[in-house]
Amino acid sequence: MGSATSAAYGSRRLLHRPPRIPLPDRLPRLLPELALLVAVQAVYKYGRKVANGHTEEAFHHADHVWSFERAVHLPSERSVQQLLLHSESLVHIANYLYATVHFPAMLLFLGYMFVRRRAHYLWIRRAIVIQTMLALLGHLLFPLAPPRLLPGDGMIDTAAVYGPAVYGKPETHSMANQFAAMPSLHVGWALAIAVGLIASHRSRWRWLWLLHPLLTMLVVVGTANHYWLDCAVGALLLALALALIPGPMPEPSSPRPLRDWTWPLRRGAAPRQGAAAPRGERLLLRRAVSVFRGAGNCAPSPHRGAGSHRPEGAVRSDPDHRPVDG
């Protein structure tokens, strides 16, 4: 009696247990993506450390950038900082945004796109990787001292004066290369986040995401960490990366595993050979096959005798055990 009750209880549990979906059908493979992003970040950090120490060259380039911006009549970065200095609270907020938002915002963005906008994730992730590697080349080939370190420009290091401070003394050789102002990845990544969210959504409010790179640009300029030219080059690198890769495929109606996408992404690519048809088409195809099978079974077979025909009006079941009128 006890064994029968246990068997019944076990079978009931099995019946009520929801069917398990294989992991690749729910999410793409996560480990390769994490390994790629960690490798890119490690190469970027190491490259910035290698580019560190070119002090004289960095200040020489800073003089040229400052003179070029004045020659083309760009507004002085000093004017933005003066507006910021009217409120000590604004200065603290700007320093805090510069120090804490840049990297966590990118992690949250990539995580969201990975889970919710898979086709667009692959597209924008490739663009960000290319953009970051191009920025590393800029740090290596064009060391640049930021405005806060340039003597005679009238700007102050707001982080050092008001806090929170991110960098130490410029003479210290650390992973934080203070002469890597060109280009600004703060602005470049913020623009990449805005572009990815605008491209993957259809809301009328999605264009408000452009406020994120605009606010980031005002923060990095007002805190004297970047020039206008740094921000422009950071945006241009993203434009170049987007021009090098194909656009994203349309979002599928249901999640598909990472192996279903090709490298690189093809816009409007033809379905894979043997891919399943949409649900409505499969249903119509199944009904058509059932009708043809029924019509074929009504014809007399050469291997059957005269008495082997089904009586008129008989009911036959198809392989799916659904009655079909013969």
Side-chain angles (χ1 to χ4, degrees), residues 10-72:
S11 62
R12 185 174 59 184
R13 286 186 58 188
L14 290 176
L15 289 176
H16 288 283
R17 181 180 298 172
R20 291 186 177 181
I21 304 175
L23 182 60
D25 292 333
R26 290 184 296 172
L27 289 175
R29 293 188 292 271
L30 179 60
L31 289 181
E33 289 295 321
L34 291 178
L36 172 64
L37 296 177
V38 170
V40 170
Q41 180 67 10
V43 170
Y44 178 75
K45 286 292 186 181
Y46 180 76
R48 282 175 62 98
K49 185 176 181 180
V50 171
N52 203 356
H54 302 279
T55 306
E56 184 177 353
E57 189 177 1
F59 282 104
H60 182 69
H61 289 158
D63 291 332
H64 282 287
V65 169
W66 186 268
S67 301
F68 172 79
E69 290 185 345
R70 305 294 81 79
V72 297

Side-chain angles (χ1 to χ4, degrees), residues 278-292:
R279 182 178 180 182
E281 296 178 10
R282 293 200 305 268
L283 182 59
L284 291 175
L285 182 61
R286 183 183 299 174
R287 289 180 178 176
V289 170
S290 300
V291 171
F292 280 113

Side-chain angles (χ1 to χ4, degrees), residues 99-173:
T100 61
V101 171
H102 172 58
F103 194 71
M106 178 56 68
L107 288 180
L108 291 175
F109 166 71
L110 290 176
Y112 170 79
M113 297 293 287
F114 178 83
V115 174
R116 302 297 299 274
R117 296 291 188 270
R118 192 168 311 161
H120 286 85
Y121 163 79
L122 294 172
W123 165 67
I124 198 64
R125 186 263 286 156
R126 290 163 185 164
I128 291 171
V129 169
I130 295 175
Q131 177 194 33
T132 305
M133 293 297 99
L134 291 176
L136 178 58
L137 289 178
H139 301 332
L140 292 169
L141 300 177
F142 196 83
L144 179 65
R148 58 185 172 81
L149 297 180
L150 189 62
D153 61 358
M155 303 190 72
I156 65 172
D157 188 348
T158 58
V161 175
Y162 296 94
V166 179
Y167 305 106
K169 295 182 179 181
E171 295 79 11
T172 58
H173 295 274

